Amino acid sequence: VLNKSAALLENVLHGGNYLTRKEIGAALKSAGIVANRFRLAYILMNAELKAVICSGPLNGKQHTYALIDERAPQTEDLTFDEALAELTLRYFRGHGPATVKDFKSWSSLTLAEIKEGLGMVESRLEHEVIDGLAYWFAEPAQYPEPKSPTVRLLQVYDEYIMGYSESRSVLDVSGATRSLPERTVPFNGAVILDSQLAGHWRRTLKKTSVLIEVALYRPLDDAETHALQTAADQYGEFLGVTTEPVVATAI
């Protein structure tokens, strides 16, 4: 069933024909494949794991699926060593400064594989030991200095959060989060203020508006509060609704 479903997906998505989950379910049903409830989820996950499908562009507010060969066409075949070297270099270029354990958590590679990968690209990277941890990074590209204060409202699975494990403390240089007793974080989203974790957030969608609630590790000054509301307004604009004034509480 899974192989038959994957073959059908290749046919119905061919030529940039991006389909929503509901549309794929209907196509499978038309082909005599039962794809209700969890069964459809398993069929789609299997096709993703086999590198048949991936995320497509939004259709209005609906997510779609696409053929991975069309969405991200492969230009060349790499050997394992070439792929390992390229992945290692790209991770530390895009995430550095980061540690070996960060890379292991992100990539699921073994420590032996990471050591091998670093051995192949270390001449193209730099590293520095801070408090006993070796941080690897590439020479940063030159970008304009960002406006300060700037607030970003990130989802909990954003790469800025999930790309690190051992060195997540770089997101909290002041130690504000570590100085508090352990407790359940009230909201899942991350409030990032000038690259640092300032709190957490959640949204409540209404008919014509969205309410953003934040729980902060410290009070914000007027400029930071304005930056927070600006980020919330941008989120509402993305959703196509108005944004209510942000409701802030302390953690």
Side-chain angles (χ1 to χ4, degrees):
V1 172
L2 292 176
N3 289 335
K4 182 179 178 181
S5 298
L8 184 140
L9 288 173
E10 288 189 83
N11 289 329
V12 298
L13 296 175
H14 180 72
N17 186 36
Y18 309 121
L19 297 179
T20 65
R21 185 188 187 95
K22 183 177 180 180
E23 290 169 335
I24 287 176
L28 291 168
K29 183 178 180 180
S30 296
I33 299 174
V34 178
N36 53 3
R37 302 186 65 184
F38 293 115
R39 192 180 176 98
L40 176 58
Y42 294 143
I43 288 172
L44 292 173
M45 283 191 288
N46 176 72
E48 288 174 322
L49 290 171
K50 288 188 173 181
V52 175
I53 64 173
C54 62
S55 295
L58 285 174
N59 181 1
K61 295 183 180 180
Q62 298 295 313
H63 293 278
T64 67
Y65 290 89
L67 291 180
I68 195 167
D69 285 343
E70 294 181 350
R71 194 74 166 156
Q74 188 172 349
T75 57
E76 61 178 313
D77 291 323
L78 300 177
T79 65
F80 177 82
D81 284 350
E82 290 171 335
L84 178 60
E86 185 67 21
L87 182 63
T88 303
L89 185 62
R90 289 193 182 198
Y91 174 80
F92 287 110
R93 275 180 171 173
H95 294 74
T99 69
V100 165
K101 285 188 177 180
D102 290 332
F103 186 31
K104 181 178 184 296
S105 176
W106 180 85
S107 67
S108 297
L109 292 171
T110 66
L111 289 175
E113 289 169 335
I114 292 173
K115 183 178 180 180
E116 182 182 353
L118 276 173
M120 290 186 281
V121 300
E122 62 180 338
S123 63
R124 301 162 69 182
L125 295 171
E126 300 178 33
H127 77 280
E128 189 169 334
V129 178
I130 301 174
D131 294 334
L133 291 180
Y135 291 86
W136 292 84
F137 54 94
E139 184 175 345
Q142 297 300 314
Y143 295 106
E145 191 70 22
K147 178 183 176 182
S148 179
T150 295
V151 171
R152 307 291 184 193
L153 300 177
L154 303 184
Q155 297 295 331
V156 66
Y157 291 116
D158 189 271
E159 192 70 9
Y160 194 71
I161 307 298
M162 300 304 295
Y164 307 90
S165 57
E166 185 177 43
S167 66
R168 282 187 182 174
S169 59
V170 299
L171 305 181
D172 179 30
V173 173
S174 69
T177 62
R178 299 190 298 277
S179 65
L180 295 173
E182 288 190 16
R183 64 179 70 185
T184 302
V185 174
F187 310 138
N188 286 331
V191 179
I192 304 298
L193 170 61
D194 290 342
S195 83
Q196 296 293 290
L197 180 64
H200 302 273
W201 71 283
R202 73 176 177 186
R203 71 174 191 180
T204 301
L205 278 175
K206 303 180 181 181
K207 284 187 177 181
T208 60
S209 65
V210 61
L211 170 65
I212 302 295
E213 298 173 86
V214 299
L216 301 170
Y217 289 108
R218 65 166 178 82
L220 304 184
D221 62 28
D222 290 344
E224 292 168 340
T225 299
H226 177 73
L228 173 61
Q229 186 64 53
T230 297
D233 291 342
Q234 291 171 341
Y235 185 73
E237 183 179 353
F238 172 77
L239 295 177
V241 297
T242 59
T243 305
E244 299 181 15
V246 173
V247 175
T249 57
I251 293 180

